[in-house]
Amino acid sequence: MQMNEPLSNYNLPDGEGHYGPYGGVFVAETLMHALEDLRKNYHTLRQDKAFMEEFSSELKNYVGRPSPIYYAKRLSEEIGGAQIWLKREDLNHTGAHKINNTMGQALLARHMGKTRIIAETGAGQHGVASATVAARYGMDCVVYMGSEDIKRQATNVYRMKLLGAKVVPVESGSRTLKDALNEAMRDWVTNVSDTFYIIGTVAGPHPYPMMVRDFNSVVGEEIKKQMPEQIGRHPDAIVACVGGGSNAMGVFYPYIENQDVELIGVEAGGSGIETGKHAATLCAGRPGVLHGNRTYLIQDSNGQIVETHSISAGLDYPGVGPEHSWLKDNGRAEYVSVTDQEALDAFHKLTRVEGIIPALETAHAIAHAIKIAPSHQKNKVILVNLSGRGDKDMDTVAKVSGIKL
Ligand SMILES: *Cc1c(COP(=O)(O)O)cnc(C)c1O
């Protein structure tokens, strides 16, 4: 493999959904037809002017795009060194980047004549974003959620129900996100004639990782216009947190060919990688197959998926999008990890110094920017993708701070 060769004229995935040795389609025969149908429809519609205009118009009028970029001047001056800029995905309707993707997939579903939406969810954020667009388009919505997660995320469960979705508890395995994903796949096989499965991150079998990346790349495309307008050039580094990797892929993808822009993904280091209690898939995992694609996974020596841990539910996933695996191996992006404690400190810092309460997922990216800024000059610009707001994390933060609400 020539390290940099695939990156000029970057045009991945290939026709079978491969990003180097990663990605692909590892599913039961019964799903092949549905995936092929989805791939063909998406291939046609992404080149359809009317469809793309409808998507843009929805992003503008319903989601509230474009989201601003913002120079975090007080934070930058307090930390010293490089300038830290923020892309404000927290200002989107429903409070995070996830709606970019659910909006795109729901429109695709409508164009394919599907009337029923299904989704998997862990913390409930993707479930809420899916239920939101289903309400917007008057579609039925069923969300699969591990019963363990249902207990932990009562507010989001109620929110989905308010939006008209049915939340189905999943009792298999560890009763968390990965089990919910398996259950949603099962539903899809059975009901494929009227049902569209909205996957919540850049994972799953082809074409999902590509499709979710494309729908989220509106974020990076906006930055590519906004940064030159504000500072006359591109940022020196882009930092984003990585759970499954959809917010990171959305900002990395438009910059892959700009080799002078550093791309840094920040994973959940939990209690520290050495403790085994973390969700830092690219930093500490190795390749395997899960949820229909080949990618880095957190697994034991027998290839069994290991329970992950992170203070932020949205990063608590034992896999990662296959394109990130490829960007790691070929060196175009760098992946690091940040512990629960470092993320919490960054959460409080941004809140107090800028008046912006970030999601705990996002706080990982902030923490890494705070770490690296001091070793750069003031003319260096680090752009952090502020993937979401922290309102949903009040209970968690209060609890670890020993405060009873
Ligand atoms: C879900 C979520 C994430 C993690 O998902 P990715 O697919 O890695 O982006 C990050 N930030 C926020 C605010 C989220 O809700």
Side-chain angles (χ1 to χ4, degrees):
M1 176 182 79
Q2 278 295 86
M3 278 307 181
N4 284 330
E5 191 186 31
L7 299 175
S8 46
N9 265 325
Y10 186 87
N11 187 23
L12 292 179
D14 69 12
E16 273 93 48
H18 295 119
Y19 307 85
Y22 303 108
V25 182
F26 294 82
V27 296
E29 199 56 40
T30 44
L31 260 185
M32 283 308 226
H33 177 72
L35 285 167
E36 185 53 21
D37 189 42
L38 176 62
R39 193 193 62 74
K40 277 195 192 132
N41 275 282
Y42 178 60
H43 185 74
T44 307
L45 284 168
R46 71 188 293 199
Q47 298 168 66
D48 183 291
K49 201 156 164 265
F51 177 81
M52 291 313 288
E53 270 169 12
E54 187 182 7
F55 181 44
S56 292
S57 151
E58 288 291 83
L59 289 178
K60 176 166 180 264
N61 301 311
Y62 188 76
V63 175
R65 306 207 69 89
S67 67
I69 53 168
Y70 166 75
Y71 175 34
K73 188 160 183 280
R74 291 216 332 126
L75 178 69
S76 305
E77 283 173 358
E78 190 170 316
I79 304 299
Q83 297 173 36
I84 299 173
W85 288 66
L86 307 173
K87 174 65 170 169
R88 301 288 311 274
E89 289 299 289
D90 58 314
L91 297 177
N92 293 340
H93 178 45
T94 67
H97 68 287
K98 286 199 170 72
I99 189 109
N100 302 320
N101 168 51
T102 57
M103 180 61 82
Q105 290 198 52
L107 280 177
L108 187 53
R110 261 158 53 101
H111 280 262
M112 289 172 69
K114 311 287 183 185
T115 54
R116 181 173 175 266
I117 293 292
I118 58 170
E120 84 292 340
T121 200
Q125 296 306 111
H126 175 58
V128 168
S130 298
T132 299
V133 292
R136 163 77 185 86
Y137 297 124
M139 299 163 105
D140 291 336
C141 182
V142 174
V143 179
Y144 288 92
M145 188 167 185
S147 58
E148 208 41 53
D149 288 332
I150 287 182
K151 264 190 267 166
R152 292 190 288 207
Q153 306 286 342
T155 310
N156 269 343
V157 173
Y158 183 55
R159 203 170 274 151
M160 287 183 262
K161 288 181 178 166
L162 283 174
L163 288 160
K166 187 177 158 211
V167 180
V168 179
V170 175
E171 305 289 354
S172 55
S174 54
R175 305 190 191 92
T176 58
L177 175 61
K178 69 174 170 40
D179 313 293
L181 213 145
N182 289 331
E183 209 52 44
M185 288 261 186
R186 239 164 261 149
D187 177 316
W188 198 32
V189 174
T190 318
N191 300 299
V192 69
S193 60
D194 69 343
T195 298
F196 189 101
Y197 177 21
I198 301 188
I199 291 188
T201 190
V202 285
H206 181 63
Y208 281 103
M210 169 180 76
M211 220 165 59
V212 177
R213 172 198 74 190
D214 293 350
F215 288 137
N216 266 305
S217 63
V218 61
V219 185
E221 299 290 355
E222 284 173 8
I223 300 170
K224 241 179 154 168
K225 283 205 204 92
Q226 291 168 320
M227 276 317 318
E229 276 166 19
Q230 299 249 2
I231 62 164
R233 63 182 180 88
H234 293 309
D236 298 289
I238 296 184
V239 180
C241 64
V242 176
S246 66
N247 87 87
M249 228 33 254
V251 290
F252 288 1
Y253 181 58
Y255 280 98
I256 287 179
E257 290 186 38
N258 298 64
Q259 301 249 11
D260 49 344
V261 179
E262 245 184 287
L263 306 176
I264 307 170
V266 186
E267 295 192 310
S271 312
I273 288 186
E274 69 288 352
T275 66
K277 290 165 96 182
H278 64 82
T281 312
L282 291 162
C283 293
R286 60 197 163 78
V289 170
L290 179 70
H291 296 144
N293 70 97
R294 185 165 189 275
T295 191
Y296 275 76
L297 302 171
I298 300 181
Q299 49 189 322
D300 65 18
S301 52
N302 296 318
Q304 292 295 319
I305 299 304
V306 176
E307 276 303 288
T308 51
H309 163 79
S310 169
I311 191 169
S312 66
L315 301 185
D316 206 349
Y317 177 59
V320 65
E323 194 164 12
H324 285 294
S325 296
W326 177 229
L327 294 176
K328 172 192 160 75
D329 281 11
N330 67 34
R332 177 62 189 94
E334 178 194 2
Y335 295 89
V336 297
S337 72
V338 149
T339 64
D340 286 351
Q341 189 56 53
E342 290 170 322
L344 268 172
D345 293 346
F347 172 95
H348 288 295
K349 175 74 79 186
L350 188 72
T351 300
R352 291 297 285 268
V353 175
E354 294 289 347
I356 297 172
I357 305 181
L360 280 172
E361 291 82 5
T362 315
H364 288 70
I366 303 286
H368 188 69
I370 288 175
K371 246 188 226 178
I372 60 174
S375 57
H376 293 286
Q377 298 295 321
K378 197 170 177 243
N379 61 359
K380 288 275 173 193
V381 172
I382 299 171
L383 182 119
V384 178
N385 192 28
L386 201 81
S387 56
R389 59 180 174 240
D391 305 41
K392 68 182 179 59
D393 295 315
M394 290 301 102
D395 289 342
T396 308
V397 175
K399 203 169 154 204
V400 298
S401 311
I403 292 161
K404 206 158 187 293
L405 292 181

